[in-house]
Amino acid sequence: MLEILNACKTFNAGTVNEKVALNGLELKLNDGDFVTVIGGNGAGKSTMLNAICGVWPLDMGKILIDGQDVTRLPEYKRAAFLGRVFQDPMTGTAATMGIDENLAMAARRGASRGLAWGITKKESEAYYRLVKSLDLGLEDRMSSKVGLLSGGQRQAITLLMATLKKPKLLLLDEHTAALDPKTAAKVLALSDKIVHENNLTTLMITHNMKDAIKYGNRLIMMYEGRIIYDVRGAEKSALHVSDLLARFEQVSDGSFANDRMLLS
Amino acid sequence: MLNPAALFGALPGAVAQGIIWGIMALGVYMTFKILDFADMTVDATMATGGAIGVMLVIAGVNPALALLFSFVGGLLCGTVTGLLHTVLGIPSILSGILTQFALWSVNLVIMGKANTPLSVDKYPLIVTLRDIPRSILVSGLIAVAVVLLFYWYFGTEQGSSIRATGANIAMARAQGVNTDFIKVLTLALSNGLVALSGGLLAQYQGFADVSMGRGAIVIGLAAVVIGEVLGTAILRKHLNFMGRLVFTACGGVVYYIVLQIVLWLRLPTDYTKMFTAIIVAVFLSVPYLKGKYFKKNLKKEAQTHA
């Protein structure tokens, strides 16, 4: 479903702030893979997701989605294949538009937008049922501006938006990191449910190693712009946080001890 | 002696001119409020619309049709600013200033001189200060049509994309909106509207002048903020999108009525622009200051709850 071939990206090349973010990254996802991604700060996790989305062009390498080379496609065109939920709850939704209007925007992802109504009555009814299924009581506030919702509510709506039109690939970029623990757990459970119900190929970055082990069928660990550990299936579910920590120690010569990873 | 009759005599003229500026303000609303782009192009587009309109009418084109060409001219002006910004990566404000600067020459070329008179005695102008009631009716009808079209358009898929781009560009891109195209499109439409209003203004006042739009962005913003304040005061929570559009158009009228009162009071008109700027600055700063004040309250609340 997704293939990343020898992806390289250096930020601020030739300056004192030079940062090699992706260093020959290789990754191949199978249809229906739910992959959790872990790694320290600056390991290249978010950079990998941004590269897939086309936020900026790669220095080198190729990205294929469902066999199609998207390396040169602009971000808005790749959006047709991708569902995204961001770390910051503010990023995924338009604050000054209603819940229904935000969903209607997502429903037209990948389609051309002309002079037909931005949202139809039939759609509104479908969105009502969809939002009701979240069980957050938001279905009675469908036309409320999303800016009035809490961070967790906004992430739940963003999750619906990302999966409303079944994406070829769902990208979750630490989407529960900015939420309080209780809400984070709720949103995470919801994500898991949606991924399984729709059998979505998913990449989920997380700082929580327990979650990384608990969710998905495959786990990858990144370090200095590359994947240094890749486990799946039974081997993955048998992992313990201590195993992952030991791995980190091994590759980072102990420097990892300072990372906030330890805190989670 | 202040003569109330003089004021009342002058009010209809202020209303007619205010409606024309209200149409211009709707163009500003489109970029400034919806797209979140402070477009400086409009200062020159106003004159471009006037110049195109006047020259075409003199050349024998029907004055109403000439307005349509003014609109098209405005579309082109906005497109230039949009391309400078999206294709060449020039900061938004500067893109507008560059186009505005260049248009000064373009406007001179269109007219061949700095000022071109247009007599209502020779041409069948659709608005003129010689027939104010009809001017109010005609410009009022145009304003209503613009508001209705505006309201319909921003309910369409394309209009929703513009709103999303203005509200959250990252979200718009993630939902597959070509945000560069949307920016160019919105700037084009906005400047088209401003040029149309410039064409109307030229017919109304009976001439086009290269400097007729100087400071238009500030007057447009004044109309937008006056409209918003009035709308919020009168409709409060019920101020919807349609209300905002209507009040923006009315903002132009209120601005010109206030200006007329200032003239009537024989206050020094040299200060008009300064007062306009101050009004706009005050109203633009209100949301920021409110946010700051509100945050302080939140902190206090947190402390009392702790």
Side-chain angles (χ1 to χ4, degrees):
Chain A
M1 187 51 77
L2 170 77
E3 262 182 283
I4 302 177
L5 303 166
N6 191 30
C8 294
K9 181 72 188 179
T10 305
F11 291 109
N12 306 313
T15 71
V16 282
N17 293 322
E18 182 170 296
K19 164 81 186 151
V20 179
L22 295 179
N23 188 9
L25 174 73
E26 299 265 346
L27 178 67
K28 192 170 182 217
L29 295 192
N30 297 320
D31 217 347
D33 263 354
F34 181 178
V35 183
T36 54
V37 186
I38 55 172
N41 290 329
K45 308 180 301 290
S46 288
T47 311
M48 173 172 73
L49 256 50
N50 286 335
I52 297 169
C53 298
V55 176
W56 24 251
L58 283 176
D59 296 339
M60 222 166 79
K62 263 187 176 184
I63 294 173
L64 285 82
I65 299 175
D66 205 10
Q68 188 186 342
D69 188 348
V70 299
T71 318
R72 288 179 181 282
L73 279 191
E75 187 180 1
Y76 77 92
K77 281 196 181 159
R78 293 189 205 188
F81 311 120
L82 305 170
R84 286 154 81 184
V85 186
F86 308 84
Q87 178 170 3
D88 181 351
M90 308 299 147
T91 313
T93 43
T96 52
M97 294 170 80
I99 295 176
D100 49 359
E101 290 175 317
N102 271 278
L103 288 164
M105 284 297 297
R108 286 159 181 75
R109 193 171 54 226
S112 70
R113 294 163 209 253
L115 297 179
W117 289 118
I119 180 165
T120 63
K121 208 167 185 182
K122 207 171 132 196
E123 270 180 275
S124 295
E125 286 160 12
Y127 299 154
Y128 176 87
R129 285 193 296 276
L130 192 65
V131 170
K132 199 175 163 101
S133 73
L134 288 178
D135 206 18
L136 292 171
L138 290 175
E139 65 273 12
D140 299 321
R141 302 166 60 188
M142 291 302 286
S143 56
S144 298
K145 304 270 177 278
V146 168
L148 300 170
L149 308 186
S150 70
Q153 290 169 331
R154 279 180 84 158
Q155 282 308 61
I157 296 296
T158 311
L159 203 54
L160 284 189
M161 288 167 64
T163 53
L164 187 59
K165 199 166 182 186
K166 191 179 169 184
K168 289 191 189 294
L169 186 63
L170 176 64
L171 303 171
L172 308 172
D173 187 357
E174 284 192 62
H175 67 307
T176 59
L179 309 176
D180 66 82
K182 211 174 142 192
T183 316
K186 250 189 182 172
V187 171
L188 204 53
L190 177 69
S191 314
D192 191 50
K193 186 179 145 221
I194 291 177
V195 168
H196 283 293
E197 277 173 2
N198 299 288
N199 193 29
L200 296 171
T201 312
T202 306
L203 269 176
M204 178 173 91
I205 299 178
T206 175
H207 257 110
N208 187 319
M209 283 191 264
K210 271 189 221 146
D211 290 338
I213 295 168
K214 182 177 164 194
Y215 294 101
N217 65 327
R218 186 173 162 193
L219 178 151
I220 57 178
M221 185 187 291
M222 290 185 74
Y223 182 72
E224 292 188 341
R226 260 185 295 194
I227 291 164
I228 51 150
Y229 186 46
D230 187 344
V231 278
R232 61 185 83 199
E235 192 188 347
K236 173 191 176 274
S237 29
L239 281 174
H240 285 282
V241 171
S242 56
D243 300 328
L244 293 178
L245 283 178
R247 280 265 163 190
F248 272 116
E249 286 291 335
Q250 199 185 325
V251 294
S252 60
D253 271 341
S255 67
F256 187 72
N258 290 328
D259 210 295
R260 71 168 159 132
M261 194 92 189
L262 277 181
L263 299 170
S264 34
Chain B
M1 260 309 280
L2 293 175
N3 179 4
L7 177 63
F8 283 112
L11 280 185
V15 171
Q17 208 167 354
I19 295 173
I20 294 172
W21 280 92
I23 296 171
M24 187 271 174
L26 285 166
V28 172
Y29 186 91
M30 200 185 274
T31 43
F32 185 72
K33 283 303 228 188
I34 301 180
L35 187 64
D36 194 20
F37 188 114
D39 178 26
M40 304 292 290
T41 323
V42 295
D43 271 33
T45 317
M46 196 87 188
T48 307
I52 293 175
V54 166
M55 294 316 282
L56 286 177
V57 171
I58 290 174
V61 175
N62 177 292
L65 190 65
L67 285 182
L68 204 65
F69 282 102
S70 294
F71 178 78
V72 173
L75 289 181
L76 293 176
C77 300
T79 305
V80 172
T81 300
L83 293 177
L84 285 176
H85 178 57
T86 56
V87 177
L88 303 181
I90 297 169
S92 54
I93 296 262
L94 201 51
S95 314
I97 291 175
L98 285 174
T99 314
Q100 181 206 113
F101 197 66
L103 279 175
W104 178 272
S105 306
V106 174
N107 294 340
L108 276 174
V109 170
I110 293 173
M111 293 198 289
K113 53 187 174 185
N115 185 298
T116 309
L118 186 70
S119 169
V120 68
D121 298 327
K122 283 198 223 160
Y123 308 100
L125 303 182
I126 60 167
V127 287
T128 167
L129 43 73
R130 295 257 290 277
D131 186 350
I132 287 173
R134 199 187 67 169
S135 299
I136 292 178
L137 182 71
V138 171
S139 52
L141 284 175
I142 294 176
V144 168
V146 168
V147 166
L148 290 176
L149 270 173
F150 205 120
Y151 184 76
W152 162 76
Y153 182 64
F154 281 92
T156 66
E157 293 175 337
Q158 208 170 65
S160 301
S161 304
I162 297 176
R163 287 192 290 143
T165 304
N168 182 349
I169 196 162
M171 175 271 194
R173 284 206 191 110
Q175 302 311 332
V177 174
N178 183 350
T179 50
D180 282 351
F181 168 74
I182 286 292
K183 280 183 185 173
V184 177
L185 176 73
T186 316
L187 285 164
L189 289 174
S190 157
N191 279 284
L193 215 47
V194 173
L196 175 86
S197 132
L200 269 177
L201 185 63
Q203 291 193 26
Y204 177 76
Q205 63 192 12
F207 65 88
D209 192 287
V210 275
S211 60
M212 69 189 262
R214 183 175 286 172
I217 178 76
V218 185
I219 298 175
L221 283 176
V224 169
V225 294
I226 290 171
E228 192 162 358
V229 169
L230 280 181
T232 316
I234 295 171
L235 295 178
R236 292 175 195 279
K237 274 187 174 175
H238 305 291
L239 182 62
N240 57 12
F241 188 54
M242 181 54 109
R244 283 175 195 280
L245 296 180
V246 171
F247 275 102
T248 298
C250 294
V253 176
V254 173
Y255 177 84
Y256 270 89
I257 289 176
V258 171
L259 196 67
Q260 204 53 247
I261 294 172
V262 169
L263 288 171
W264 175 69
L265 290 172
R266 303 213 183 99
L267 296 174
T269 48
D270 290 354
Y271 294 110
T272 329
K273 292 201 173 179
M274 190 178 79
F275 283 126
T276 307
I278 291 172
I279 289 172
V280 172
V282 167
F283 284 111
L284 290 184
S285 59
V286 163
Y288 169 76
L289 295 175
K290 238 183 182 171
K292 234 174 145 178
Y293 175 73
F294 185 63
K295 257 185 205 153
K296 267 185 205 154
N297 270 353
L298 275 184
K299 251 187 210 161
K300 267 185 214 157
E301 226 169 80
Q303 276 167 359
T304 49
H305 282 296

